[in-house]
Amino acid sequence: MTMRFLSFFILSLCLVVTKANAQSVNTPADSSSTEIEIVNVDKLKAIDSLKFKKLIGNVILIQDDGTFKCDSAYLYEEDNSIQAFGNVHIQQGDSVNIYADRLKYDGTTRFARLYNNVELSDSKTTINSDTLYYYLNERRALLFYGVDISDGAVDIFADSVEYLSLVKKAIFYNNASLTQDSLNIKADQMQYDFNTNIGIYSGNGVMTNKQTILKSDNGLYDSDAQIATFEEKVFVKDESYEINTQKLIYNLKTEQAEFDGPTIINSDGRNIETTKGSFDQKNNSVSLTGRSTLDEAPQFLTADTLYFEQDSGWGVARGNVYWEDTSENVSLRSAFMRYNQDSSSIVAYQDLMLTQVVGEDTLFLIADTLIRGSYQDSSDLFAAIKNVQLYKSDFQGVCDSLSYNTFDSTFRMYVNPVVWFDSTQLFADTLFLETSDGGPSHLDLNKNAWIISEVETGIYHQLTGNAIDGQFLDGELSVINVVKDSKSIYFAQDEEKAFIGANKANSQSMRILFDEGEISSIKFYGTPNAVFDPIKSIDPFNHQLEGFQWLEERRPLIEYFIVEK
């Protein structure tokens, strides 16, 4: 069985199904069909023995609304049929014209078979093929073997086609291919409406447009709007990305694609998962409106909506934003975030919390706004702005604004900064805290510097000066230097921790050494002035230096970070 015959056989089976639909627009068959009449012929010869007339030269025949023209023909009057040869032309009404090299026509059923160099044209389209079967009553054509249809805007090819001229619709079987400009769509089967210029395909659909290849099981193409809709197992591949989704709408004019349903986008090592969004191929940007994730190791980002520009690397995340960098054990939650995937820059605000794992501990930071930038030396800068709060198990802090550089591991705190270490409180106009191995190593308090330590509830060791710098050993203060206008109050205790009295001193500067958290020695510089008051002669709960503030109510608690966030 040849492939040509197999194609014809499959199409015939399909027509059994489609004929019922086609008959809704068919012209009813005339049970008393009219005879074929001769209108013009140059030479006529009757062959009585074979019961036909041989017509030669400028042959014109008519039957009802059909006109038949050819170079020569056999007219079988008894069977009401003809065979025509050379420049065959069937004209039906004002619109349908069919051309071929050879024709067999049954006037009783009004069924025509045309062969070789076949062309059918009407008000909407032109069809070319090797073989055409045409039902004049129904104005329905079946075309075989390399069928080509064109309406001036699109060209469609297929192995075989059924065309309904009354409604201007075509059904393409086997290896259907639609072309418009740079677009090409191929599928197992395709339907095209030449009134609406809309095509529908099913089975192994493949669309190619410039550098983009798209595959799907089902699809619809509007050639006027140049919009294609793809459904079921949709796959898109371009030079810089791949998309897997359930439904995609692609606008060839704007080069924008909208996708709906579970979607995965792979682009230059970035893996994006979403449920709804769009891709702007011209501007190389992605807009995701369903809950989405962007994974580019070691960084991960998820949000209610995401926008990302591939070329610039900039993106915007909104709603329940979560970002993490596993290489630095840092994560961020916020309501809004602008980021650059290439430079790792971040601007985040609203309901903001930064978390960083430090050894077996965790550092929490909240603020109104957080900015992160990266330098060429691979160090990172974090800047927190307004209402900053820090929490770590061994220290806590608050300030108006803060910066942290991973190069020197230093927190720089501005505008009313306060830091707590256990029962010790530190504050100044500005406060720098350098860390090492996750713990404090050095501090600088500049202008109006204070260190206050609560000995018992309401009783405090106090130390103040123009500036204070300190060194830490194993997370505890080991050395403190107070520079200019140093003042102190130190409560002395006996071996049983009973208070003996208070030593109040001031000098140009002083140096304090600690041993296991306790003061081991104090050295005064300049001209010191010291007074020791017995405990009975003072009120220890109100024995305080001028400017003293105990700010425990501002101290962040772990419960706030966990419960609120």
Side-chain angles (χ1 to χ4, degrees), residues 437-448:
D437 297 326
S441 61
H442 182 85
L443 68 86
D444 286 298
L445 289 80
N446 299 305
K447 293 185 179 180
N448 190 31

Side-chain angles (χ1 to χ4, degrees), residues 270 299 312-314 339-346 372-375 379-380:
R270 299 181 180 97
Q299 297 187 30
S312 68
W314 278 106
Y339 61 95
N340 188 291
Q341 197 76 8
D342 298 327
S343 65
S344 299
S345 300
I346 290 175
R372 177 196 177 181
S374 296
Y375 296 96
S379 64
D380 294 328

Side-chain angles (χ1 to χ4, degrees), residues 16 21 35 45 85 96 113 119 151 167 190 237 241 263 265 286 293 313 408 444 484 500 513 515 528 548:
V16 172
N21 294 328
E35 293 183 353
K45 182 177 181 181
F85 309 92
V96 177
R113 296 180 178 86
E119 178 182 294
D151 67 349
V167 293
M190 187 181 301
K237 182 176 179 59
Y241 67 89
T263 302
I265 303 172
V286 179
T293 62
D408 57 14
D444 286 298
K484 193 177 180 181
I500 302 171
L513 301 180
D515 184 14
F548 171 90

Side-chain angles (χ1 to χ4, degrees), residues 52-66:
F52 68 84
K53 292 180 178 178
K54 186 174 182 180
L55 313 177
I56 301 173
N58 297 312
V59 178
I60 301 176
L61 306 168
I62 62 170
Q63 184 190 40
D64 298 329
D65 62 346

Side-chain angles (χ1 to χ4, degrees), residues 156 169-172 189-193 198-202:
I156 308 175
K169 291 183 179 180
I171 303 171
F172 302 83
Q189 181 174 312
M190 187 181 301
Q191 299 181 35
Y192 194 83
D193 188 325
I198 293 176
I200 300 173
Y201 73 76
S202 60

Side-chain angles (χ1 to χ4, degrees), residues 387-390 396-403 411-421 424-433 444-452 549 551 554-556:
N387 301 312
V388 180
Q389 297 188 50
L390 288 165
Q396 299 80 44
V398 296
C399 61
D400 179 76
S401 59
L402 171 150
S403 68
F411 291 94
R412 293 170 173 83
M413 305 172 70
Y414 305 94
V415 187
N416 301 319
V418 186
V419 170
W420 293 266
F421 296 96
T424 300
Q425 170 188 288
L426 303 85
F427 65 89
D429 288 356
T430 60
L431 188 155
F432 293 177
L433 177 62
D444 286 298
L445 289 80
N446 299 305
K447 293 185 179 180
N448 190 31
W450 283 78
I451 298 179
I452 301 171
Q549 298 181 75
L551 303 169
R554 294 183 61 191
R555 188 173 190 171

